[in-house]
Amino acid sequence: MISQKMADAINEQIKNEFYSGWLYLAMSFKAEEMSLKYFAEWFRLQESEEKMHANKMCNYLLDQGAEVKLSALDKPKFDGSSIDAMVTETVKHEKFITDCISNLVNVAKEENDNATFNFLQWYVEEQVEEVASVTELDDLVKLAGPGQLLLLEERLKEVISLRNSETTA
Ligand code: OFO
């Protein structure tokens, strides 16, 4: 059994993870509007990863005999005027999520909760990967500029098929 403070903090992060998915889903629709099919698909993949992150936390709370408390999600807030702005927003958002995970780890330390501390290490590692991959994409979008987005679409097509083959392997 984990402390109420720990459970509340995890429930708050569950909301953040579902919100991340909500945000990326909205970005995916925007990318579709711009006819950037593979950017749209990439945002969809991000969305499903976020749902997985949230569900993993829900399962953990249940395993620990704590209550999962879902709350209302805010309307996704982002600048959807260009793909460049959306990818940059993604980097900013992932850095925010990294800070949230760090705060959760601090709560686990304060509560002397070794099980939750261990559980959270997966998210610590995941955030390193998430920030690195979205930063790389952001750099590429900026380097390419609006004239080369179709080349980036091709690159994303490869990234997506690689990710799909990893999940089906
Ligand atoms: Fe759940 O990692 Fe992104 O937000």
Side-chain angles (χ1 to χ4, degrees), residues 17-104:
E17 298 290 342
F18 277 125
Y19 174 80
S20 302
W22 202 219
L23 176 67
Y24 297 150
L25 182 62
M27 288 182 176
S28 168
F29 293 138
K30 274 284 161 203
E32 284 276 359
E33 281 172 25
M34 295 169 191
S35 301
L36 293 169
K37 181 174 170 215
Y38 291 104
F39 274 94
E41 205 172 316
W42 182 82
F43 278 118
R44 284 290 184 121
L45 281 179
Q46 294 298 112
E47 182 220 356
S48 54
E49 273 199 17
E50 299 304 345
K51 279 198 287 205
M52 180 270 279
H53 295 171
N55 279 309
K56 199 174 163 79
M57 285 186 180
C58 294
N59 290 335
Y60 179 73
L61 284 182
L62 293 172
D63 284 348
Q64 288 284 9
E67 190 185 352
V68 175
K69 292 181 187 158
L70 296 183
S71 31
L73 298 180
D74 293 333
K75 187 176 167 194
K77 223 174 103 195
F78 64 100
D79 174 0
S81 60
S82 67
I83 199 73
D84 183 352
M86 290 197 293
V87 175
T88 301
E89 181 72 37
T90 303
V91 175
K92 200 173 129 204
H93 184 71
E94 286 305 326
K95 287 183 175 167
F96 163 73
I97 294 293
T98 299
D99 289 344
C100 295
I101 298 291
S102 249
N103 291 338
L104 266 186

Side-chain angles (χ1 to χ4, degrees), residues 100-144:
C100 295
I101 298 291
S102 249
N103 291 338
L104 266 186
V105 171
N106 288 338
V107 176
K109 282 186 197 157
E110 282 161 25
E111 297 293 290
N112 284 324
D113 184 341
N114 290 328
T116 304
F117 179 87
N118 279 346
F119 169 71
L120 291 172
Q121 297 315 300
W122 183 88
Y123 290 87
V124 171
E125 279 176 36
E126 179 73 4
Q127 281 312 118
V128 173
E129 205 184 299
E130 293 261 298
V131 172
S133 74
V134 294
T135 302
E136 187 191 329
L137 183 60
D138 191 40
D139 290 345
L140 289 176
V141 170
K142 287 192 168 59
L143 271 177

